[in-house]
Amino acid sequence: MKGLTMFKNMMVSIALTLVSGSLLANEVAIAIHGGAGTITRANLSDEKAAEIIATLEEAVTTGHKALKDGEPSVKAIQKAIIILEDSPLFNAGRGAVFNYAGGHDLDASIMDGSTLQAGAIAGVSNIKNPILLAFDVMTQSKHVMLSGKGAENFAQSLGYEFVPQTYFATEFRRSAWERAMSKQQKDTQARLVDLDIDYKFGTVGAVALDKNGNLAAGTSTGGMTAKRWGRIGDSPVIGAGTYANNDSCAVSATGHGEFFIRYNVAADICARMEYGNKPLKQAANEVIFDELLPAKGMGGVIAIDNKGNVAMPFNTEGMYRASVDTKGTVTVAIYGL
Ligand code: ASP
C-alpha cells in the first residue's frame, strides 16, 4: 500500500513537472534592433561598437529572461526596449535625435498579436520611456494613437513623471544635427526626405514569442534628425513600423520612415505569410529587397513567427541587432554578413 502511494505521488510529481516544464509550454524567442544605416567598420570605433554590442546583449537577454520566467511577450519586449531607450547610444528616449528647432519629439508603438490590440504615441517631448506610454494607450485608453500635448495630458492623468528636454540630448546627436542644419541651409532645396539616412540611425525595437504562443512587437524612436513641421515617421504607425498577429508574425522596422509608411512594411510581411503561405524569412526578404530596395527605401526589420523563427533582413550596410532563438542561442551583430 505504502509502495502504491509512493508510486502515485511520483506520477503526480512527474505530471506536474511536465505541465510546468518546457514539454507542454512553447519555446520562447526574441529579437531586437537598434537601428539601420551606413554603419561601417570605418565610421564606428571599436570602443563604441563594443558598448553597443554590450547594450544590445543586455537588452535581448533581459527580454529573454522575462519570457523564460513566463512573462507575456508584450511585457518582455518593453523590458528590452526600456534598456535601449535609457541608453544614450540609441535614437530613442535618452540619445534621441534633435529636431529642426533643436528639441526632441519621440514616437513609439506596441502591438499585442494575441488580441490585435495596439497603442502608439507620436511627437511627445517629455516622456522618459515612450514605449511605456504606448502600452498605456493600448491598455488604459480606447484609442490606438495619441499625439503631442494630448498624449502628454493623458500621461499626466496616469501620474507619469516628466523629464526636461535636456534629458534626451547627447553630444553625438547634437553634432549630427549641426551637420544636418548646415546642409539644409546651404541647399535651399533640401527637404527632410532628402536628408541622409545616416542622420538618424538608432531607432530601437523588439519582437517576441512567449510560452503561450503569443507574439508582440514594439518600436521607439526620436525620428529623423532635423525633422520639422511635426513630421512623424513609420515607428508609431501600426502596420508600417510595428505589427503583430499570432496567425503570422511580429515585426518592428527601422529605416527611412516615409518609405516604410507607403509600403506598409510590417503588415505586408505578415500578410505575405498569412495569405501567401510564405515562410517568415522569404516574406521579410521580399519586402526589404524586392519592394523597398528598388524604390530606394533604405532600412530593415526584425521579425518573428509563431514557431519562434527569426528573420532580420536589412538593405543598408548595417543594422544593430540581437536575438535569442528557441534553443537559447544568443546572436548579436552590427554589420552585414
Ligand atoms: N523609421 C524611423 C523614422 O523614420 C527612423 C529609423 O528607424 O531610424 O522616424
Side-chain angles (χ1 to χ4, degrees):
M1 193 60 195
K2 203 173 161 205
L4 187 64
T5 311
M6 264 176 66
F7 176 71
K8 272 192 194 155
N9 284 347
M10 224 170 77
M11 292 315 282
V12 168
S13 116
I14 290 173
L16 282 177
T17 312
L18 289 183
V19 171
S20 65
S22 61
L23 279 184
L24 289 187
N26 275 312
E27 298 295 347
V28 303
I30 183 167
I32 63 171
H33 70 76
T38 311
I39 309 167
T40 61
R41 283 178 176 84
N43 64 22
L44 183 65
S45 71
D46 288 352
E47 203 183 21
K48 189 142 185 214
E51 275 179 63
I52 288 168
I53 283 174
T55 312
L56 288 169
E57 190 167 342
E58 184 194 347
V60 83
T61 52
T62 300
H64 183 252
K65 182 179 180 306
L67 294 167
K68 277 285 188 199
D69 290 347
E71 291 193 48
S73 50
V74 78
K75 283 282 179 198
I77 59 168
Q78 289 175 69
K79 288 193 165 167
I81 289 174
I82 285 170
I83 289 173
L84 302 173
E85 285 182 340
D86 289 348
S87 162
L89 296 167
F90 301 95
N91 173 18
R94 187 157 168 247
V97 298
F98 286 70
N99 63 22
Y100 191 82
H104 309 269
D105 304 310
L106 310 165
D107 307 329
S109 65
I110 194 162
M111 186 159 184
D112 182 340
S114 66
T115 57
L116 300 191
Q117 294 288 322
I121 50 152
V124 298
S125 31
N126 299 96
I127 302 295
K128 181 170 176 274
N129 291 113
I131 197 67
L132 292 179
L133 189 55
F135 178 75
D136 279 334
V137 170
M138 174 168 84
T139 52
Q140 313 284 329
S141 86
K142 290 192 164 43
H143 308 297
V144 168
M145 189 190 279
L146 300 181
S147 69
K149 262 265 127 312
E152 289 183 344
N153 290 342
F154 172 67
Q156 208 156 27
S157 77
L158 297 178
Y160 270 69
E161 206 187 301
F162 283 57
V163 291
Q165 285 259 291
T166 49
Y167 167 80
F168 302 108
T170 57
E171 267 324 299
F172 176 68
R173 297 297 181 189
R174 186 186 299 281
S175 59
W177 173 68
E178 280 163 1
R179 286 199 308 277
M181 293 301 282
S182 83
K183 185 173 171 181
Q184 286 209 18
Q185 270 146 20
K186 273 191 217 122
D187 177 3
T188 51
Q189 295 304 307
R191 298 275 186 279
L192 176 71
V193 288
D194 299 329
L195 286 178
D196 202 313
I197 187 167
D198 291 340
Y199 286 121
K200 51 110 224 99
F201 62 75
T203 290
V204 309
V207 294
L209 171 71
D210 66 26
K211 281 189 174 173
N212 291 318
N214 291 325
L215 292 170
T219 311
S220 180
T221 191
M224 291 179 95
T225 299
K227 64 186 182 181
R228 69 196 292 202
W229 303 304
R231 181 264 185 190
I232 307 288
D234 60 312
S235 306
V237 178
I238 298 299
T242 301
Y243 198 73
N245 183 336
N246 276 7
D247 291 340
S248 50
C249 64
V251 179
S252 170
T254 175
H256 200 151
E258 280 68 13
F259 290 86
F260 281 67
I261 294 174
R262 289 190 281 113
Y263 284 80
N264 196 33
V265 166
D268 189 16
I269 293 171
C270 295
R272 283 168 196 251
M273 288 190 70
E274 193 170 350
Y275 307 128
N277 285 321
K278 301 200 168 142
L280 178 79
K281 198 169 178 183
Q282 186 185 345
N285 281 349
E286 280 180 5
V287 175
I288 296 301
F289 298 108
D290 303 346
E291 303 292 340
L292 283 176
L293 188 57
K296 299 195 169 56
M298 307 311 282
V301 294
I302 48 166
I304 189 168
D305 68 14
N306 53 21
K307 309 270 180 312
N309 296 306
V310 167
M312 304 194 277
F314 52 95
N315 60 28
T316 47
E317 284 184 60
M319 180 169 82
Y320 299 137
R321 60 200 187 279
S323 63
V324 185
D325 67 14
T326 52
K327 294 185 188 72
T329 308
V330 183
T331 307
V332 187
I334 294 182
Y335 312 105
L337 298 174

